[in-house]
């Protein structure tokens, strides 16, 4: 039959044998596209491939993660619907995690210095969860280098491997005390003219906030706007 998808059973059997031999609980296929030779945009053919992985997971009682790329998003936040190619892959998976890098705008809004933004990414609200409630918030991770401890006299630097670790975004009011707020209120009550709500104004109240908190009003504008939203809505 023309265009019939043929599963290479000897390869499947070899994977099964290795999983049993090493007691594997989680099998990660990275990237998924290298595990098959069918057109990436063909739903019917891709469904056969995904079903082969699903049957193997059920048979061995393990979790199988298929790492797949997304279409070009031009800086937009990713969701499970942005998976590249045929929709059959996402439809067949019980759980799909969509990873997004920290954008420059998010970095400014979270008041994260540019040199500290490397390696930050998140997932959560754009994910698909068939067997669990959907996330109400994003879950953040940071990639860090972990030394492998293989340094030698000839190779003193040794090697590192990238590891994803948990990370919690800073809150806009982190480090802000009641004394800061009281000082802002005091200056406003004593006639400070900086009361405008628009940041474009020379009398933007955020400039007073920045002065009290010892922040740069331009560099930390997003953080200051968040603070004002918390304080006065």
């Amino acid at each position: 039959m023309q265009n019939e998808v043929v599963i290479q059973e000897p390869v499947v059997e070899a994977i099964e044998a290795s999983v049993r031999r090493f007691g594997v609980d989680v099998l990660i296929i990275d990237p998924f596209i290298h595990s098959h030779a069918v057109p990436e945009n063909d739903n019917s053919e891709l469904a056969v491939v995904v079903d082969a992985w699903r049957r193997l997971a059920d048979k061995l009682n393990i979790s199988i993660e298929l790492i797949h790329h997304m279409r070009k998003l031009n800086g937009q936040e990713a969701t499970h619907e942005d998976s590249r190619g045929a929709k059959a892959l996402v439809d067949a998976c019980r759980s799909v995690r969509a990873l997004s890098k920290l954008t420059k705008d998010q970095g400014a809004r979270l008041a994260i210095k540019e040199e500290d933004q490397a390696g930050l990414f998140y997932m959560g609200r754009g994910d698909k969860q068939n067997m669990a409630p959907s996330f109400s918030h994003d879950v953040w991770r940071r990639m860090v280098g972990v030394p492998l401890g293989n340094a030698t006299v000839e190779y003193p630097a040794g090697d590192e491997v990238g590891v994803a670790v948990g990370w919690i975004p800073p809150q806009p009011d982190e480090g802000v005390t009641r004394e800061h707020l009281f000082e802002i209120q005091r200056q406003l009550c004593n006639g400070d003219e900086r009361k405008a709500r628009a940041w474009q104004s020379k009398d933007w109240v955020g400039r007073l906030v920045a002065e009290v908190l010892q922040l740069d009003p331009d560099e930390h504008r997003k953080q200051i706007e968040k603070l004002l939203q918390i304080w006065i809505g």
Side-chain angles (χ1 to χ4, degrees), residues 5-7 38 43-53 55 88:
V5 178
V6 178
I7 302 299
V38 306
N43 270 298
S44 60
E45 294 192 8
L46 197 66
V48 176
V49 178
V50 178
D51 191 59
W53 284 116
R55 291 197 309 272

Side-chain angles (χ1 to χ4, degrees), residues 188 192-208:
L188 287 172
D192 195 300
E193 296 296 328
R194 291 172 290 183
K195 298 179 181 179
R197 293 292 300 272
W199 67 267
Q200 297 93 338
S201 171
K202 65 180 180 61
D203 292 325
W204 178 44
V205 67
R207 299 190 182 280
L208 170 59

Side-chain angles (χ1 to χ4, degrees), residues 48-118:
V48 176
V49 178
V50 178
D51 191 59
W53 284 116
R54 181 192 58 77
R55 291 197 309 272
L56 187 63
D58 289 342
K59 181 178 181 179
L60 298 174
N61 192 30
I62 64 172
S63 172
I64 295 181
E65 294 193 9
L66 306 175
I67 310 300
H68 190 54
H69 294 288
M70 296 182 177
R71 61 184 178 83
K72 293 187 182 298
L73 299 177
N74 298 318
Q76 294 181 346
E77 183 174 308
T79 75
H80 67 275
E81 295 180 346
D82 295 313
S83 174
R84 194 177 68 189
K87 193 169 177 285
L89 173 59
V90 169
D91 289 346
C93 293
R94 290 182 178 177
S95 174
V96 179
R97 289 178 293 182
L99 307 184
S100 296
K101 289 184 177 180
L102 175 76
T103 65
K104 186 175 182 180
D105 184 63
Q106 286 173 319
R109 190 166 63 247
L110 294 171
I112 305 171
K113 294 181 179 179
E114 193 168 341
E115 59 267 26
D116 295 331
Q117 294 181 15

Side-chain angles (χ1 to χ4, degrees), residues 175-185:
V176 179
T177 66
R178 287 185 299 175
E179 286 70 24
H180 288 131
L181 183 55
F182 292 157
E183 178 59 21
I184 293 168
Q185 292 172 333

